[in-house]
Amino acid sequence: MREMKNIRNIFDPFGERAIGSREMLDRKEAEYGGEMLNINKSAQKLLWANEYLRDEGFRKYWDEFSPAFDKDDSGLLYRDQHAEDYNHNQDCHAIEDILCWYDYYRERPGTGKRVNSGRVNIVFSDSNTHHRGESNYRTNGEVDAMRMPKDGFWTHQVMRDGWVDNEKPRTHIMGYWNYAETVLKNINVVSTANKVELFVNGISQSFGKQNSNFLFTFENILWKSGTIKAIGCDEKGTVLSEDSKTTVKDPASVKLKLKTQPIKGILADGADVAPIDVEVLDKNGRRCPISDDMISFAIDILATWLKDIAQVRKNYILSKNISVENGNNRVMLQSSTKARKIKIMATTKGLKSAKLTFKSHHVKVQNGLSKLLPGINLAYNLERAATPKSPSYTIKRNPFTIINSSSPSNANDTYKSYDDNELTEWRNDGKSNTASITYTLSKRSIVNECVIKLTGWRTKSYPIRILADGKEVYKGNTAQSLGYITIPLEPVLAQNIKIELIGANTEKDGFSKIVEVEATKDLHLFKEKTAVDAKGQLRIVEIEFYEKQNEK
């Protein structure tokens, strides 16, 4: 890495290209670091999640009340184990998007001196890479392999409309509003608002239960034909954003829409591709959200048919008979080397058919080469503009400086629990009477939050008590997490904060189904499945104390 940085500094000193790597949290050479599935923070360098979500889910499964009535715990086994986390329907997949996103989001810039700088999903679109679900390709994208949006796409649009904090109010109702009269189900809404109210045909269903900041759940909502609306408000009741879904009538027609570049269209170079969207609509021109009609396509012979995706249960590659998924799908045609009209027709039994005619455009070729770049006229969007030079966040809480620490066990290592190094820890000797550590702050302060990363964060629950100048401000079992947990404290003016283990810690992997590779004996001790080997052992990777100011 030192050699790579030297090369960069010689040939591209002002390119602002950082060099870093996963698993280099404690290396001075790295300008950024990262992890997969685990939350890391730093006061010195950019740390971000390389893969914050691995769950998978098909676009064609809305929820368990929709064709093919896929329950979240169904699907094939993975390595002889249940793999429900890799066989989600859209509702459950989008919920996991929110839950995992928020674990990192709450440690973002503005939440303290030590922060997590960002997070990315493993893939944006379903891809032909390693998978764990019932399909034969990875299905954890925000869009499917044909770039058709899943509910997770709209979910992320709500949560990520800002550089750091949310800058634009948004609300999105997951799913659709076409069911049977007997359906009683939870309605999930993702919103940036403080509270969300749900209406069915204008009648309020009260406010949703909030989880992980962005998720609002309305339990046991009875389906009624008409319109469902979610309204997001601030604490004063001011409407910030809203979304609605309306019951769609029975399928009536098929629609085709060309998706080529706007100026030149499809080029007659034998390689250009024309994506074409196909939809099943009701008599009012609205997409039928649970339609799975089989569509038959007919094209002329001077274009190559490419559609569709190979799936475990049906291989649609090169097939001209494909079904829509939730009322829509996408096909592709490859051009020939002759400029001409291209005709395509889509039909299905009982519905009005659709026709589409468009031209491929001549490409000048000399000695087998063309000067025309295929993507030269593709639309682009620069509305986002450059990264702002001023902070894109507000301060949510104030951190307190730890100036000293002590413990009856391994006293020389206590500093490792607040040294801003994710690869060090403090631990006691495993005896219950030594399982405590005391921190001295730089001054007496009102502390109302403790943020802590305990070794074995995914598998262990520690029964602890927290004392502020001798007064108990918290008592309970720590939650399993992907790294850090936030513990609310009873606000007390104090300078010495003591953490003590008050019982035997317990082990149960809360994330056992979300794995990266098979466990091996040479994995880092913090990643081992049984990271804590003594019931009376307290082990702290990093700890922080805060005065919280603002929730959002």
Side-chain angles (χ1 to χ4, degrees), residues 57-126:
F58 267 135
R59 183 177 75 87
K60 62 182 172 183
Y61 299 153
W62 271 119
D63 56 29
E64 61 185 280
F65 302 102
S66 313
F69 305 100
D70 178 79
K71 292 186 177 181
D72 198 46
D73 60 355
S74 62
L76 303 178
L77 299 179
Y78 176 71
R79 294 182 178 175
D80 299 323
Q81 300 293 322
H82 287 288
E84 56 264 34
D85 293 312
Y86 302 108
N87 290 297
H88 287 306
N89 54 45
Q90 281 206 63
D91 257 17
C92 296
H93 197 190
I95 289 172
E96 286 300 318
D97 280 331
I98 298 171
L99 301 181
C100 289
W101 172 263
Y102 184 63
D103 276 350
Y104 295 87
Y105 181 79
R106 64 183 175 186
E107 308 298 342
R108 68 194 183 278
T111 62
K113 187 176 181 181
R114 301 185 70 249
V115 297
N116 179 272
S117 300
R119 60 225 71 90
V120 295
N121 203 338
I122 185 170
V123 294
F124 178 73
S125 59
D126 294 352

Side-chain angles (χ1 to χ4, degrees), residues 140-422:
N140 66 326
E142 278 67 60
V143 297
D144 72 6
M146 300 301 293
R147 277 49 172 181
M148 304 298 285
K150 303 180 187 179
D151 239 349
F153 176 91
W154 311 111
T155 295
H156 278 286
Q157 187 182 66
V158 171
M159 298 189 297
R160 301 176 69 166
D161 200 353
W163 287 99
V164 178
D165 290 342
N166 295 108
E167 298 170 7
K168 182 177 180 179
R170 287 185 183 271
T171 295
H172 171 71
I173 301 173
M174 295 183 192
Y176 60 101
W177 196 236
N178 271 65
Y179 292 99
E181 293 183 4
T182 56
V183 167
L184 190 71
K185 73 181 297 284
N186 292 349
I187 300 298
N188 295 294
V189 177
V190 54
S191 179
T192 56
N194 294 93
K195 55 184 180 179
V196 176
E197 188 173 9
L198 186 71
F199 296 84
V200 177
N201 295 332
I203 300 175
S204 175
Q205 308 297 306
S206 191
F207 292 90
K209 179 181 178 182
Q210 189 176 17
N211 185 8
S212 296
N213 201 70
F214 300 104
L215 178 62
F216 296 83
T217 301
F218 300 83
E219 296 181 348
N220 299 322
I221 300 299
L222 179 65
W223 179 83
K224 294 181 180 179
S225 179
T227 299
I228 185 172
K229 178 183 284 189
I231 297 178
C233 306
D234 61 16
E235 292 293 348
K236 298 180 180 179
T238 303
V239 176
L240 302 176
S241 58
E242 62 181 56
D243 187 31
S244 63
K245 299 288 175 72
T246 300
T247 304
V248 178
K249 304 297 183 182
D250 293 334
S253 63
V254 180
K255 179 183 178 181
L256 296 175
K257 183 178 180 180
L258 187 65
K259 305 285 287 186
T260 57
Q261 56 172 307
I263 299 176
K264 287 291 186 180
I266 184 171
L267 304 179
D269 59 2
D272 202 4
V273 171
I276 300 170
D277 286 357
V278 54
E279 289 184 292
V280 172
L281 309 177
D282 72 356
K283 65 180 182 180
N284 298 316
R286 297 175 299 189
R287 176 162 65 95
C288 299
I290 56 174
S291 170
D292 59 356
D293 291 274
M294 183 65 68
I295 310 295
S296 296
F297 291 88
I299 62 170
D300 58 30
I301 60 174
L302 292 180
T304 301
W305 182 257
L306 299 179
K307 176 67 182 174
D308 183 39
I309 301 171
Q311 297 179 0
V312 171
R313 295 170 181 164
K314 179 67 175 178
N315 184 357
Y316 287 112
I317 290 180
L318 301 182
S319 173
K320 292 188 177 67
N321 298 298
I322 66 167
S323 65
V324 290
E325 297 179 359
N326 307 324
N328 67 345
N329 215 321
R330 180 168 289 165
V331 299
M332 295 188 299
L333 294 178
Q334 183 178 340
S335 69
S336 68
T337 55
K338 294 183 179 180
R340 64 186 304 279
K341 284 186 178 181
I342 298 174
K343 299 178 182 179
I344 180 172
M345 176 179 286
T347 61
T348 189
K349 186 177 180 180
L351 304 183
K352 184 180 178 180
S353 60
K355 296 180 181 179
L356 186 63
T357 302
F358 56 99
K359 293 182 179 180
S360 61
H361 296 273
H362 175 71
V363 177
K364 185 177 179 180
V365 177
Q366 185 175 0
N367 297 326
L369 299 175
S370 170
K371 295 182 179 180
L372 181 63
L373 295 175
I376 194 66
N377 294 308
L378 289 177
Y380 55 87
N381 188 326
L382 298 178
E383 290 179 7
R384 195 76 169 176
T387 304
K389 296 184 180 300
S390 58
S392 303
Y393 55 85
T394 58
I395 301 299
K396 310 298 185 302
R397 56 192 183 187
N398 293 321
F400 297 113
T401 302
I402 299 172
I403 60 172
N404 191 24
S405 56
S406 61
S407 173
S409 177
N410 293 330
N412 292 334
D413 286 342
T414 56
Y415 76 95
K416 293 181 179 179
S417 64
Y418 58 97
D419 62 352
D420 195 30
N421 186 344
E422 299 272 358

